[in-house]
């Protein structure tokens, strides 16, 4: 069966520091991969999606970037975090029929 | 553009009572419809999905949902709520062509509190 791993679960980073969140999927090949951000009481916002290695599409302009160095690995990064980057970040994968989510990373920028 | 409305921000029910969470969508074609559940600090878990066929869909944990095209609704129901059902519930609509997460639009969620 397919599983998705996302880490770390929580992260506290100072403003201006770099960020790297990692997500890996097991049990499937060539999945579509996604990064979402969830703000309190505001639902989910799609940040990036990828349909293959090295193929990244951004849904909204922001201080973050994403990379897909391997088929089942998706990384969310920032060179310099802003206070407004705080939130709950969720990685997801899909082939057809909906999305399956990781456990999320709670990022607090202080 | 597609959209999802969950009119109830917060619902409180007693354990053992029945539950219905409302979801209304706007979409120009036949949609894919989903319900997800999120426990505090956790990711989203897929409860059930509707693509086509029988409009009453059974999901995990005893949940079901009914697709009503005439009302543009996909309400989630459970006959008897358990304390462990306390969580936030999200409805989502997606394009029928792919069902990919890129095309999913989520509602803003309904927080469910279960009283003992």
């Amino acid at each position: 069966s397919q599983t998705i791993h996302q880490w770390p679960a929580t992260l506290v980073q100072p403003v201006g520091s770099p960020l790297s969140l990692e997500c890996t999927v097991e049990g499937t090949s060539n999945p579509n991969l996604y990064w979402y951000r969830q703000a309190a009481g505001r639902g989910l916002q799609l940040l990036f999606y990828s349909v293959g290695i090295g193929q990244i599409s951004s849904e909204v302009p922001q201080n973050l970037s994403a990379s897909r160095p391997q088929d089942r690995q998706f990384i969310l990064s920032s060179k310099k975090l802003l206070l407004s980057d705080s939130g709950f970040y969720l990685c997801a994968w899909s082939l057809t029929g909906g999305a399956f989510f990781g456990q999320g990373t709670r990022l607090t920028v202080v | 553009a597609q959209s999802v409305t969950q009119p109830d921000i917060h619902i409180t029910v007693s354990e053992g009572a029945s539950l219905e969470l409302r979801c209304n969508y706007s979409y120009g074609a036949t949609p894919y419809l989903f319900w997800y559940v999120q426990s505090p600090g956790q990711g989203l878990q897929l409860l059930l999905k509707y693509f086509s066929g029988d409009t009453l869909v059974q999901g995990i944990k005893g949940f079901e949902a009914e697709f009503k095209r005439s009302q543009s609704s996909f309400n989630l129901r459970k006959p008897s709520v358990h304390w462990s059902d306390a969580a936030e519930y999200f409805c989502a609509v997606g394009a029928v062509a792919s069902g990919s997460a890129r095309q999913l639009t989520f509602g803003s969620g309904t927080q469910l509190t279960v009283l003992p």
Side-chain angles (χ1 to χ4, degrees), chain B residues 10-88:
Chain B
H10 196 172
I11 283 184
T12 300
V13 298
S14 298
E15 191 169 18
S18 63
L19 171 70
E20 183 169 29
L21 302 183
R22 295 184 290 165
C23 172
N24 293 98
Y25 70 90
S26 173
Y27 189 69
T30 302
Y32 281 172
L33 294 161
F34 308 85
W35 274 100
Y36 288 87
V37 61
Q38 184 180 33
S39 297
Q42 300 294 311
L44 277 71
Q45 181 182 22
L46 181 64
L47 283 176
L48 48 79
K49 58 189 177 184
Y50 170 78
F51 292 167
S52 64
D54 192 347
T55 56
L56 185 62
V57 180
Q58 301 298 318
I60 62 171
K61 304 185 178 186
F63 285 93
E64 66 178 26
E66 186 171 12
F67 171 56
K68 293 185 177 180
R69 184 187 299 275
S70 61
Q71 299 177 21
S72 297
S73 69
F74 189 56
N75 294 349
L76 182 71
R77 301 194 294 248
K78 186 169 185 178
S80 178
V81 171
H82 188 262
W83 64 266
S84 60
D85 293 324
E88 189 154 22

Side-chain angles (χ1 to χ4, degrees), chain A residues 32 34 36 38 41 43-44 46 49 59 88 90 94-103, chain B residues 32 34 36 38 41-44 46 49 51 88 90 98-102 104 106-108:
Chain A
N32 297 329
Y34 309 84
Y36 284 85
Q38 185 178 28
L44 279 78
L46 179 62
Y49 70 94
E59 290 291 295
F88 192 54
L90 290 158
S94 74
L95 287 174
T96 58
F100 299 91
F101 288 82
Q103 293 300 296
Chain B
Y32 281 172
F34 308 85
Y36 288 87
Q38 184 180 33
Q42 300 294 311
L44 277 71
L46 181 64
K49 58 189 177 184
F51 292 167
E88 189 154 22
F90 292 92
S98 69
S100 77
R102 175 193 169 210
L104 284 180
F106 286 84
S108 55

Side-chain angles (χ1 to χ4, degrees), chain A residues 14-54:
Chain A
V15 169
S17 65
L19 173 73
S20 180
L21 303 182
E22 189 163 343
C23 171
T24 60
V25 180
E26 296 177 359
T28 185
S29 296
N30 198 31
N32 297 329
L33 296 173
Y34 309 84
W35 279 110
Y36 284 85
R37 178 166 56 202
Q38 185 178 28
R42 296 181 62 183
L44 279 78
Q45 179 186 37
L46 179 62
L47 302 176
F48 300 96
Y49 70 94
S50 171
V51 299
I53 295 174

Side-chain angles (χ1 to χ4, degrees), chain A:
Chain A
S1 64
Q2 300 87 358
T3 57
I4 179 168
H5 303 281
Q6 187 180 340
W7 68 93
T10 59
L11 190 60
V12 180
Q13 292 282 97
V15 169
S17 65
L19 173 73
S20 180
L21 303 182
E22 189 163 343
C23 171
T24 60
V25 180
E26 296 177 359
T28 185
S29 296
N30 198 31
N32 297 329
L33 296 173
Y34 309 84
W35 279 110
Y36 284 85
R37 178 166 56 202
Q38 185 178 28
R42 296 181 62 183
L44 279 78
Q45 179 186 37
L46 179 62
L47 302 176
F48 300 96
Y49 70 94
S50 171
V51 299
I53 295 174
Q55 300 179 62
I56 308 296
S57 296
S58 174
E59 290 291 295
V60 293
Q62 59 203 308
N63 183 45
L64 302 168
S65 63
S67 62
R68 185 170 178 175
Q70 300 179 45
D71 180 46
R72 289 170 287 179
Q73 184 185 30
F74 204 26
I75 298 171
L76 183 69
S77 304
S78 173
K79 293 182 180 179
K80 290 185 177 182
L81 284 169
L82 305 172
L83 286 174
S84 58
D85 292 323
S86 293
F88 192 54
Y89 290 83
L90 290 158
C91 180
W93 73 271
S94 74
L95 287 174
T96 58
F100 299 91
F101 288 82
Q103 293 300 296
T105 296
R106 172 71 61 193
L107 171 64
T108 304
V109 182
V110 297

